[in-house]
Amino acid sequence: MKINFIDLQAQYKEYKKEIDSEVLEVMSLAQFIGGEKLNLFEKNLAAYTGSKHAIGCSSGTDALLLSLMALDISAGDEVITSPFTFISTAEVIALLGAKPVFVDIDEESYNIDPSKIEDAITERTKAIMPVSLYGQCADMEAINDIAKKHNLSVIEDACQSFGATYNNKKSCNLSTIGCTSFFPSKPLGAYGDGGAIFTNDDALAEKMRMLLNHGQNERYKHKYIGINGRLDAIQAAVLNVKLKHFDKEVRLRDEIGSRYSDLLEDSDVITPKIAPNATSVYAQYSIRVKDREAMIEKLNKKEIPTAVHYPVPLHMQEAFKYLDYKEGDFPISELVSKQIMSLPMSAYLSEAEQDFVVQAIKG
Ligand SMILES: *Cc1c(COP(=O)(O)O)cnc(C)c1O
């Protein structure tokens, strides 16, 4: 049996007619940047999350960067975030000359531990950037309470959690700003790079729209130093089709994720723990095993693809050496990064494929 880590071809087959016709329509309209496909997609995104504003942009990384730029985060400022995430989260903080301040994660959710945030706040702290990892939201209520007390902004890195819910509200619409990614392998994936920014604040929305278009408020009038961070029309057209079917896919992902957990219950791997007030979109289905190398090799022998998200926490990365963190500073992130591994996961993983993976793990 040949199993894909994420089956994007099966998904394309499912929506081929609609996607092909939408993409070809963009070609014949010859409106490649902005235009009606993008406007419609942004309207649909806002409706989906319940956010007042949804703004398409060039990637999840740029969404995070634009949100920090809109909040005027710059040299000397500190932003609190998790060391157990993809590099983008802390990279954009550092790019603006601000300092990423790491706070360790919770051992069950793998998201930032709110009980450890207040100790990291200084007079330079401007924002908290929690990551909703593997498809499950960080504990946003606790984080928002801390932020309110200290007058900080909260930016949800929702690059893996678009479609997830927290207290019955959608991820991306849980804080000052929410940022997501449409990288092809994310739960809602484009056919190239893409992302979106969400907010209920009119002034921030207006500023981010300018920032992603070179700080332009009128043609060739530049109010801010911005970037080229636009989402193109072909991606918006593809995403519009996929968003239409997204609720069904989220349901399938939830069923497949829960089924993995049920089937693995009597094994010695640690399965994901989803909080009772949350639903996960299982951007990754990640388990913890004592001997990861042996497990990967065992699955490899059966041609089962796996991945490790992420093998090195950010405070141990060479790029962040200048921050002077050391091994042992974030013990839970370090432990989890040694044990975690992701299994094949997508809305199109069949029960037979899943049984094959589970048997290989147990065998
Ligand atoms: C994918 C991802 C990003 C970056 O998104 P891109 O669209 O690839 O730029 C940022 N943060 C997290 C947690 C991600 O998973």
Side-chain angles (χ1 to χ4, degrees):
M1 190 177 296
K2 182 86 191 80
I3 301 174
N4 291 303
F5 187 66
I6 297 174
D7 200 343
L8 291 175
Q9 280 166 331
Q11 190 198 41
Y12 176 55
K13 257 187 223 149
E14 188 91 0
Y15 312 137
K16 184 175 186 324
K17 257 174 84 177
E18 285 174 274
I19 288 175
D20 288 0
S21 119
E22 281 290 308
V23 169
L24 289 172
E25 199 188 325
V26 174
M27 316 268 201
S28 50
L29 290 170
Q31 193 164 44
F32 299 107
I33 306 285
E36 64 182 71
K37 299 288 178 203
L38 179 63
N39 296 343
L40 178 65
F41 179 54
E42 289 182 338
K43 216 175 98 195
N44 292 339
L45 273 181
Y48 185 83
T49 55
S51 296
K52 188 165 178 201
H53 303 280
I55 305 164
C57 68
S58 43
S59 70
T61 306
D62 287 338
L64 294 166
L65 179 66
L66 288 159
S67 67
L68 294 176
M69 289 170 76
L71 294 166
D72 291 318
I73 305 250
S74 58
D77 295 337
E78 294 178 359
V79 178
I80 291 173
T81 191
S82 164
F84 189 61
T85 175
F86 183 57
I87 183 107
S88 296
T89 323
E91 186 179 38
V92 292
I93 300 168
L95 266 178
L96 292 174
K99 183 180 172 190
V101 173
F102 296 123
V103 166
D104 210 356
I105 55 169
D106 171 79
E107 199 177 332
E108 295 225 316
S109 68
Y110 309 135
N111 289 324
I112 196 167
D113 182 344
S115 74
K116 294 180 180 151
I117 290 178
E118 276 196 296
D119 282 345
I121 295 175
T122 72
E123 71 252 16
R124 294 170 171 231
T125 309
K126 288 284 159 61
I128 309 171
M129 199 183 246
V131 181
S132 298
L133 203 70
Y134 302 150
Q136 175 174 212
C137 292
D139 191 358
M140 297 300 287
E141 192 170 274
I143 294 164
N144 285 334
D145 285 348
I146 296 164
K148 201 167 167 196
K149 190 169 143 197
H150 297 271
N151 199 21
L152 307 173
S153 302
V154 179
I155 301 157
E156 184 194 10
D157 180 341
C159 287
Q160 298 185 9
S161 60
F162 183 80
T165 64
Y166 174 92
N167 289 343
N168 296 314
K169 267 183 87 176
K170 287 267 169 39
S171 176
C172 299
N173 184 22
L174 301 170
S175 60
T176 321
I177 300 174
C179 298
T180 200
S181 164
F182 304 125
F183 186 79
S185 59
K186 303 285 162 129
L188 181 64
Y191 284 175
D193 279 306
I197 320 166
F198 302 82
T199 186
N200 292 310
D201 182 313
D202 296 342
L204 281 177
E206 194 188 2
K207 189 170 177 187
M208 291 189 288
R209 279 196 186 280
M210 289 185 216
L211 287 170
L212 68 77
N213 197 20
H214 304 288
Q216 186 165 269
N217 52 356
E218 277 173 63
R219 192 155 211 188
Y220 303 127
K221 295 275 177 63
H222 304 272
K223 184 169 167 146
Y224 305 107
I225 303 290
I227 63 170
N228 174 354
R230 299 175 297 244
L231 179 68
D232 70 63
I234 288 181
Q235 299 309 334
V238 170
L239 287 162
N240 256 329
V241 174
K242 289 208 198 177
L243 185 58
K244 225 182 340 179
H245 302 283
F246 191 61
D247 273 335
K248 177 195 74 192
E249 293 209 352
V250 169
R251 207 161 50 239
L252 289 170
R253 298 181 83 95
D254 181 56
E255 281 168 22
I256 292 164
S258 307
R259 189 166 183 271
Y260 258 139
S261 296
D262 289 345
L263 294 172
L264 288 168
E265 202 177 53
D266 60 351
S267 72
D268 53 8
V269 310
I270 300 175
T271 55
K273 305 277 180 295
I274 309 303
N277 63 338
T279 59
S280 176
V281 283
Y282 293 102
Q284 307 296 343
Y285 186 90
S286 303
I287 58 170
R288 274 163 65 196
V289 292
K290 287 219 178 65
D291 188 348
R292 182 170 64 198
E293 296 325 305
M295 180 65 83
I296 290 174
E297 199 182 308
K298 190 161 80 167
L299 299 193
N300 245 341
K301 277 194 186 129
K302 307 219 151 139
E303 288 186 75
I304 297 169
T306 56
V308 175
H309 307 97
Y310 297 91
V312 182
L314 298 189
H315 68 289
M316 302 298 293
Q317 295 282 355
E318 192 177 343
F320 288 123
K321 222 171 149 178
Y322 72 96
L323 292 173
D324 279 336
Y325 286 112
K326 58 185 186 312
E327 192 164 1
D329 281 347
F330 306 106
I332 302 182
S333 298
E334 290 167 28
L335 172 78
V336 174
S337 69
K338 289 186 181 90
Q339 299 183 334
I340 202 85
M341 58 180 284
S342 304
L343 303 179
M345 176 74 208
S346 67
Y348 298 90
L349 189 73
S350 71
E351 288 197 357
E353 290 175 319
Q354 221 184 352
D355 292 340
F356 187 71
V357 174
V358 169
Q359 265 147 34
I361 289 170
K362 290 180 172 176

